[in-house]
Amino acid sequence: MLTSDYDFDLPDELIAQHPVEPRDASRLMVVDRRAGTIEHRSFADLPELLDPRDVLVRNDSRVIPARLIGQRLATGGKWEGLFLNDRDDGVWEVLARTRGRPALGESVAIGEPPGLSLVLEGRGEGGSWIARPSPETPATTLELLARFGAPPLPPYIRRGRADAADRERYQTVYARRPGSVAAPTAGLHFTADVFDRLAARGVATVDVTLHVGVGTFRPIEAETVEDHRMHSEWADLSADAAARLNQAKARGGRIVAVGTTSTRTLETAAASGRIEPFQGRTNLFIRPGHAFHAVDALVTNFHLPRSSLLVLVSALAGPELVRAAYAAAVRRRYRFFSYGDAMLVLG
């Protein structure tokens, strides 16, 4: 499969810079893969589009304030970083951008006024840095990020510059387990009212976790889709969740994944043909030809050209139907990417 088959022209003005309010006021394109039809609704209509036996599976990962703004003490130059993870020995792995080439041993002051120092101790994979927080700061990593970090908006939203509202809005209403450096954006449309109406209809909800990594923003650079190296992310699907999902399938219910992250978690856990408990890292790359053992339907956003996310949606709905859906979305001025509108794939 050629990567160019997953490219499309997108006017810049269709890239959503701010979310709609309320959350469920976003538009919802309904794509029926069996009938080959496309319908245009509101996200608030979702409960009436699902059946009482269905189970909605959502990713409860919480976005951490991973964006760091600081100053190189050696030069006074501006330094911008993105926290990726921390290790057992207390060091952080960060992506960084600054003028010039920092030397090992340099220190970076984070915050205004500075309240956190990072010492650059080495290089990691993919151009990242290994940095150690100053020993004068005994707080945990999450505490330090809460004090000195900012929401890690993707670069296509206001060039990554978050405002105060993004701390709450770039987060699902059900986010619980901190660990993502990007939001599982399909979940941003849900409100308490939508969940109340889903429950009243009889649609159950099950939580899984996948901590979204920075690789979610990276386009496929290989000429063919098969040559793409998928990034890995930590996921968790509990024994209780597996049992509830298998019971739902046995009753004839559909599993409706909220987002590509929930989809990858479910399909990783169902590699044997039955959904099993899973905890660990997954680099599952779902592309056309994938045999879906868990997911029957999908709530998702409109994704970047040449992205693994777009390939995943095409694997479920079919490449031709997805191309038609995206062409319709551009014609009808749907809003794209993280703060954009939603799609429901049924059938």
Side-chain angles (χ1 to χ4, degrees), residues 37-93:
T37 58
I38 297 171
E39 185 182 1
H40 306 283
R41 305 284 291 264
S42 167
F43 194 85
D45 298 334
L46 179 67
E48 66 187 66
L49 296 169
L50 301 184
D51 297 328
R53 292 179 298 177
D54 292 342
V55 179
L56 196 75
V57 180
R58 60 192 191 180
N59 179 8
D60 66 1
S61 181
R62 187 169 185 82
V63 182
I64 56 178
R67 187 166 181 262
L68 302 167
I69 303 296
Q71 184 179 52
R72 292 171 58 188
L73 296 182
T75 65
K78 184 177 180 181
W79 182 93
E80 294 188 27
L82 179 71
F83 171 88
L84 299 179
N85 55 66
D86 56 359
R87 303 193 318 204
D88 292 339
D89 59 359
V91 299
W92 293 2
E93 184 179 5

Side-chain angles (χ1 to χ4, degrees), residues 214-234:
V214 71
T216 192
F217 296 130
R218 291 178 177 153
I220 298 175
E221 296 180 348
E223 184 175 343
T224 62
V225 171
E226 293 85 349
D227 287 337
H228 176 61
R229 182 182 176 187
M230 191 68 178
H231 58 285
S232 74
E233 293 160 316
W234 186 89

Side-chain angles (χ1 to χ4, degrees), residues 16-325:
Q17 298 300 301
H18 298 274
V20 298
E21 294 296 344
R23 291 171 182 256
D24 59 7
S26 55
R27 299 166 72 184
L28 178 67
M29 179 183 287
V30 183
V31 177
D32 189 318
R33 56 194 173 106
R34 295 189 190 277
T37 58
I38 297 171
E39 185 182 1
H40 306 283
R41 305 284 291 264
S42 167
F43 194 85
D45 298 334
L46 179 67
E48 66 187 66
L49 296 169
L50 301 184
D51 297 328
R53 292 179 298 177
D54 292 342
V55 179
L56 196 75
V57 180
R58 60 192 191 180
N59 179 8
D60 66 1
S61 181
R62 187 169 185 82
V63 182
I64 56 178
R67 187 166 181 262
L68 302 167
I69 303 296
Q71 184 179 52
R72 292 171 58 188
L73 296 182
T75 65
K78 184 177 180 181
W79 182 93
E80 294 188 27
L82 179 71
F83 171 88
L84 299 179
N85 55 66
D86 56 359
R87 303 193 318 204
D88 292 339
D89 59 359
V91 299
W92 293 2
E93 184 179 5
V94 298
L95 290 176
R97 182 174 60 185
T98 187
R99 297 186 68 176
R101 304 184 70 175
L104 294 182
E106 270 197 44
S107 292
V108 177
I110 308 295
E112 294 182 3
L116 170 66
S117 294
L118 296 178
V119 180
L120 306 179
E121 293 189 345
R123 301 306 300 264
E125 295 183 0
S128 64
W129 284 89
I130 303 302
R132 185 177 298 277
S134 61
E136 297 80 22
T137 313
T140 68
T141 294
L142 290 178
E143 289 170 342
L144 291 174
L145 292 174
R147 289 171 59 191
F148 301 109
L153 287 187
Y156 47 75
I157 297 178
R158 290 172 259 135
R159 298 184 178 180
R161 301 297 192 266
D163 57 31
D166 293 306
R167 280 193 177 266
E168 180 271 334
R169 199 54 179 81
Y170 192 62
Q171 200 80 263
T172 64
V173 297
Y174 50 83
R176 184 173 62 90
R177 302 177 71 177
S180 284
V181 298
T185 55
L188 296 179
H189 308 280
F190 285 86
T191 62
D193 177 68
V194 169
F195 284 121
D196 287 344
R197 290 189 291 118
L198 284 165
R201 189 167 173 80
V203 177
T205 301
V206 169
D207 286 347
V208 299
T209 304
L210 183 141
H211 291 322
V212 187
V214 71
T216 192
F217 296 130
R218 291 178 177 153
I220 298 175
E221 296 180 348
E223 184 175 343
T224 62
V225 171
E226 293 85 349
D227 287 337
H228 176 61
R229 182 182 176 187
M230 191 68 178
H231 58 285
S232 74
E233 293 160 316
W234 186 89
D236 180 33
L237 191 153
S238 69
D240 177 68
R244 293 177 62 192
L245 294 170
N246 284 319
Q247 290 166 6
K249 274 192 166 291
R251 294 193 302 266
R254 296 177 300 185
I255 294 182
V256 183
V258 178
T260 59
T261 58
S262 296
T263 301
R264 291 181 61 226
T265 303
L266 287 162
E267 291 300 312
T268 297
S272 67
R274 177 179 171 81
I275 302 171
E276 305 285 352
F278 176 84
Q279 186 178 90
R281 300 195 70 83
T282 177
N283 63 352
L284 177 63
F285 183 18
I286 298 176
R287 53 189 188 265
H290 175 83
F292 285 87
H293 296 302
V295 174
D296 302 297
L298 171 66
V299 178
T300 189
N301 276 23
F302 290 91
H303 301 294
L304 279 73
R306 304 174 73 96
S307 66
S308 63
L309 312 179
L310 179 56
V311 172
L312 184 154
V313 177
S314 299
L316 182 65
E320 291 187 7
L321 184 55
V322 170
R323 278 194 288 271

